[in-house]
């Protein structure tokens, strides 16, 4: 087996499909090793693969990104936006450091052509930042023609907004409209929360549990997300400070989740209509997740006998450890519901 190196060749400012030259080295390897340099002038910026198919897919992805960038820059389409662009640290191509979406406004603003917006870490999944309609609302408020939305990653560390600007200026400039000067000073916009604050409590190959600080009122929420669908919050609960230990613990005194609120309110309405405000029935909840709905049902209907079933024992552990599921008040079964 040989060590293969693919170099991304420098091209002119006009569009050209990225070309990769490959070099057969004289080094023999016990197992194949393929190294790909995706960016110029970055000697330590290499992706390493032992599988040729994965290496070719990385090259195709780089070429496709260049196609999309060229199309987006050459012609202004009102209301359009790029797909999500993953950006990695120069010294670590295994960990995604940023994501970026570049969005065109539905209206052109002559004196404000281009800007970047740094989304706080805790707000990535908010409607305002995670949907096209929300992003258009921000653009309309800021009155910029094109805005690059920069998404910080919850398990990455950022010193401050200045560090983000320094690291992202080059990537943002790649998407500036072609009619703008190369010396353009890009305005970096942000909310009053700055970079935001997220504390990763636990991470595995399939899920992440994180505590997120919202707003300036020191409001914390704990949420569970799965890597298979990272833009969906599977479970979320408000946190309060434990008066004895000062640790943040789940707060089940409110129904902040609209989905859970509708379920509980619907059940309360049903039982009130049947003059049975506190039912004593046996209830089965299939799929525990973080156990948030289970605990809210227990709090709202303390006389009901609730059994929760989940196929994954890890979900039961997460619900008990991080979301305050009290198994003295409910029965938890690990099985296929």
């Amino acid at each position: 087996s040989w060590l293969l190196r693919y170099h991304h060749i420098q091209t002119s400012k006009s569009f050209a499909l990225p070309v990769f030259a490959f070099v057969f080295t004289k080094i023999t390897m016990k197992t194949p090793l393929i190294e790909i340099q995706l960016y110029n002038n970055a000697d330590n910026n290499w992706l390493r693969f032992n599988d040729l198919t994965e290496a070719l897919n990385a090259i195709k992805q780089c070429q496709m990104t260049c196609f999309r960038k060229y199309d987006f820059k050459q012609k202004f389409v009102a209301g359009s936006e790029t797909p999500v662009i993953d950006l990695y640290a120069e010294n670590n191509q295994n960990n995604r450091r940023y994501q970026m979406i570049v969005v065109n406004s539905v209206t052109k603003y002559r004196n404000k052509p281009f800007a970047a917006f740094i989304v706080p870490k805790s707000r990535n999944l908010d409607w305002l930042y995670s949907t096209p309609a929300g992003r258009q609302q921000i653009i309309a408020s800021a009155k910029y023609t094109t805005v690059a939305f920069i998404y910080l990653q919850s398990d990455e560390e950022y010193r401050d907004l200045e560090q983000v600007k320094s690291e992202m200026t080059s990537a943002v400039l790649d998407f500036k409209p072609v009619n703008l000067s190369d010396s353009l000073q890009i305005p970096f916009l942000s909310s009053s929360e700055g970079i935001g604050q997220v504390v990763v409590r636990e991470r595995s190959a399939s899920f992440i549990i994180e505590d997120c600080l919202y707003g300036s009122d020191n409001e914390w929420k704990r949420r569970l997300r799965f890597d298979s669908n990272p833009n969906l919050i599977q479970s979320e609960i408000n946190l309060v400070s434990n008066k004895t230990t000062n640790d943040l613990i789940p707060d089940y005194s409110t129904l902040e989740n609209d989905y859970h609120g509708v379920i509980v309110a619907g059940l309360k309405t049903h039982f009130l209509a049947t003059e049975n405000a506190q039912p004593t029935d046996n209830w089965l909840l299939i799929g525990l997740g973080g156990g948030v709905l289970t605990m809210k049902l227990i709090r709202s209907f303390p006389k009901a006998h609730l059994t929760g079933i989940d196929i994954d024992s890890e979900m039961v552990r997460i619900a008990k450890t991080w979301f305050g599921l009290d198994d003295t008040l409910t029965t938890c079964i690990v099985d296929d519901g």
Side-chain angles (χ1 to χ4, degrees):
S1 298
W2 299 89
L3 169 65
L4 301 184
R5 282 194 154 187
Y6 292 77
H7 294 261
H8 186 176
I9 297 175
Q10 179 74 44
T11 58
S12 64
K13 291 184 179 179
S14 60
F15 174 75
L17 186 67
V19 176
F20 293 84
F22 60 90
V23 179
F24 291 89
T25 72
K26 294 182 179 180
I27 304 172
T28 57
M29 311 284 291
K30 291 183 178 179
T31 57
L33 178 62
I34 304 168
E35 293 186 332
I36 302 177
Q37 185 187 41
L38 292 182
Y39 304 100
N40 300 307
N41 304 321
D43 293 336
N44 59 349
N45 200 1
W46 292 87
L47 293 175
R48 290 179 171 84
F49 302 93
N50 296 115
D51 181 76
L52 179 60
T53 301
E54 292 182 2
L56 292 176
N57 286 339
I59 291 175
K60 290 177 182 177
Q61 184 177 8
C62 176
Q63 292 175 330
M64 186 57 66
T65 298
C66 288
F67 270 127
R68 290 168 175 167
K69 180 170 65 176
Y70 177 76
D71 288 341
F72 187 83
K73 291 172 63 174
Q74 289 299 313
K75 183 180 179 181
F76 178 85
V77 178
S80 64
E81 58 180 47
T82 66
V84 177
I85 301 160
D86 292 331
L87 299 164
Y88 295 81
E90 287 189 1
N91 60 352
N92 190 345
Q93 282 289 318
N94 294 318
N95 290 335
R96 185 176 61 206
R97 184 150 176 82
Y98 298 98
Q99 288 182 307
M100 184 170 69
I101 300 176
V102 188
V103 184
N104 283 330
S105 172
V106 295
T107 303
K108 280 191 173 183
Y109 300 97
R110 179 177 299 178
N111 297 323
K112 301 174 78 174
F114 190 52
F117 190 99
I118 301 172
V119 179
K121 292 174 74 172
S122 57
R123 298 290 188 178
N124 283 2
L125 302 182
D126 285 10
W127 176 87
L128 201 59
Y129 302 112
S130 65
T131 65
R135 288 187 284 267
Q136 285 296 335
Q137 186 170 313
I138 292 175
I139 291 178
S141 177
K143 291 183 169 55
Y144 277 91
T145 300
T146 302
V147 175
F149 286 85
I150 299 169
Y151 296 86
L152 313 183
Q153 304 304 291
S154 61
D155 47 0
E156 287 287 307
E157 294 295 328
Y158 309 91
R159 184 177 61 255
D160 51 29
L161 290 172
E162 290 303 317
Q163 181 186 14
V164 177
K165 293 178 186 179
S166 174
E167 294 179 356
M168 285 298 295
T169 295
S170 177
V172 171
L173 277 173
D174 271 348
F175 281 84
K176 73 174 180 61
V178 292
N179 61 327
L180 297 182
S181 168
D182 288 341
S183 60
L184 174 71
Q185 294 294 313
I186 304 172
F188 276 80
L189 315 177
S190 61
S191 75
S192 59
E193 296 178 52
I195 62 174
Q197 189 173 348
V198 175
V199 179
V200 176
R201 293 299 187 184
E202 184 177 345
R203 170 179 272 286
S204 76
S206 59
F207 68 84
I208 182 170
I209 298 166
E210 53 198 7
D211 291 351
C212 306
L213 180 63
Y214 286 82
S216 57
D217 297 329
N218 207 34
E219 179 186 355
W220 286 88
K221 293 179 184 288
R222 179 166 295 159
R223 60 193 188 190
L224 165 67
R225 295 187 291 120
F226 293 112
D227 283 355
S228 58
N229 195 352
N231 293 327
L232 175 68
I233 299 175
Q234 203 285 334
S235 297
E236 185 177 63
I237 187 68
N238 283 342
L239 300 175
V240 293
S241 178
N242 185 308
K243 294 180 180 179
T244 304
T245 64
N246 289 326
D247 293 334
L248 292 174
I249 58 174
D251 176 19
Y252 285 101
S253 63
T254 60
L255 285 172
E256 78 290 338
N257 185 295
D258 291 341
Y259 173 70
H260 293 159
V262 168
I263 293 175
V264 174
L267 288 171
K268 281 183 174 291
T269 302
H270 167 74
F271 288 116
L272 284 173
T274 59
E275 298 182 353
N276 183 20
Q278 288 299 330
T280 58
D281 307 309
N282 294 316
W283 293 4
L284 176 65
L285 186 63
I286 300 176
L288 280 173
V292 175
L293 178 59
T294 304
M295 285 300 295
K296 288 181 177 179
L297 289 173
I298 291 172
R299 289 295 189 96
S300 300
F301 305 99
K303 294 183 179 180
H305 302 283
L306 200 147
T307 298
I309 185 169
D310 200 290
I311 196 171
D312 189 352
S313 60
E314 188 72 341
M315 287 298 100
V316 178
R317 182 191 67 80
I318 288 172
K320 293 178 180 179
T321 303
W322 296 111
F323 291 89
L325 179 65
D326 188 346
D327 57 1
T328 66
L329 302 177
T330 184
T331 302
C332 297
I333 299 174
V334 178
D335 207 339
D336 188 349

